[in-house]
Structure formats: C-alpha cells, structure tokens
Amino acid sequence: MRTWPVGRSDATSRATVSASSAASSLSTPSTPALSPVASPVAGDALQSGASRGRILLCLVTLYLVWGSTYLAIRWVLQGGMTPFLASGTRFLLAGALLFGAMWLKGSPVPTARQWGSSAVVGLLLLGVGNGGLVFAQQWVPSGVAALVVGSLPMWSALFGGLFGQWPGKLERWGLAVGFGGIVLLNLGGE
C-alpha cells in the first residue's frame, strides 16, 4: 500500500496496528471483572472540557456553514455564475482542503479503487444531489431550498420504514423537533 511522504507513514502504521489490535480485543468475548468505579483525575476533567469545547466548536461551525450555504448559493447565482460551475468550484475547494488536511495528518494515500468509488459518488452528488439543488435555486428562494434539504431525514425514515426499519421513539421525536425547527426558521418567508 502506498503511503504519504516518508516520516508520516510510521505514525499512521502504528495507529493502524493499535486500532486493529484494539478492535480485535473488543471482539474477543470475555467476562468483565467487577471493579470499583475510579474517581476522575484532573487530567480527565481537562480532557473532558477540551472535548466539550471541540464539540461546541463543531456545532457552531456546522450551524454557520450549513445555515449560510443556501444564502451563499443564492448570491453566487445572482452574481452570474452558472449553477454547475458554482457547485463544481465548491466541491473542488472542499476536496482540496480535505485532501491537504489528511496529507498533513499522515493518512494512507487512497487506492485506485477508492478514487474510482469517490468519483462515482462525487459525480452523483454534484450532478444530481447538490447540483440539482443549486440549479433549482435559480427560481426557488434559499429558505425553501433549506426546508426541502432539511426534510431529507424525514424521507429517509419513511423509505427505511417502508423496507421494514421504522425509526424508534427517540428517533421520531428527533425528526419531529428537527423538522419543526426548520419550519419555524422559515415562517414569514416566501
């Protein structure tokens, strides 16, 4: 398997070996020993605080980026860029940033098969999914586009149910609250 530049592959190989050994130890059935619950130490509290901070940062980033996506698409289209050029540029920039981040992290280089699978998914997403949305936003307000995309989990749950996998009680509540929030945000719009 090809890897990233020399010096980066060693850390990746060690991480892969330790992850696979951890996974194999999880799959081995064993009886857990009864032991008293250990009291948290200061390092754990700091790490928990850092994790909480990262989660909050991720959520704020998600809300700002996802929430502004449809408005940004509207502005780009009003600026005269064609829908598929706008989507393609967005995907190219995002892919380059992710590829660069993984390269710096030392992850293994994707195989030819992985590149091929990614190309198929990318073409479908760009040509049908996101591309169709950007194409439609030439005539549809950005709030309506966000509402339609926000309804996708409801459609996924419906189709999953039709194939015998209905969402559980908490999942149904989550779907209702999430969809209600999207509708609430779009009240009073066009």
Side-chain angles (χ1 to χ4, degrees):
M1 172 192 301
R2 295 179 307 155
T3 59
W4 296 103
V6 176
R8 298 212 178 267
S9 61
D10 295 338
T12 304
S13 300
R14 283 193 300 271
T16 304
V17 169
S18 63
S20 63
S21 63
S24 65
S25 68
L26 289 175
S27 63
T28 306
S30 63
T31 55
L34 297 175
S35 63
V37 176
S39 62
V41 288
D44 290 341
L46 290 175
Q47 191 173 17
S48 174
S51 294
R52 210 172 284 134
R54 285 183 182 154
I55 291 171
L56 287 174
L57 177 66
C58 289
L59 285 173
V60 167
T61 303
L62 174 70
Y63 296 148
L64 291 176
V65 172
W66 186 82
S68 62
T69 295
Y70 304 100
L71 182 59
I73 291 169
R74 168 66 58 191
W75 289 342
V76 166
L77 292 175
Q78 287 175 346
M81 193 176 244
T82 62
F84 291 104
L85 180 62
S87 289
T89 303
R90 177 181 171 204
F91 277 54
L92 184 65
L93 288 173
L97 285 171
L98 288 172
F99 190 83
M102 296 308 291
W103 182 77
L104 290 173
K105 192 176 178 181
S107 295
V109 174
T111 63
R113 183 179 174 136
Q114 291 169 331
W115 280 113
S117 298
S118 297
V120 170
V121 170
L123 285 172
L124 289 172
L125 189 58
L126 180 61
V128 179
N130 188 267
L133 173 82
V134 175
F135 185 75
Q137 265 198 261
Q138 295 178 94
W139 305 282
V140 175
S142 58
V144 173
L147 184 63
V148 168
V149 172
S151 70
L152 288 178
M154 302 272 297
W155 288 104
S156 298
L158 175 67
F159 284 117
L162 293 175
F163 287 99
Q165 190 174 0
W166 290 102
K169 185 178 181 180
L170 286 176
E171 292 168 327
R172 287 192 301 264
W173 274 106
L175 288 167
V177 169
F179 190 70
I182 291 171
V183 171
L184 182 66
L185 287 173
N186 287 290
L187 285 178
E190 296 178 32

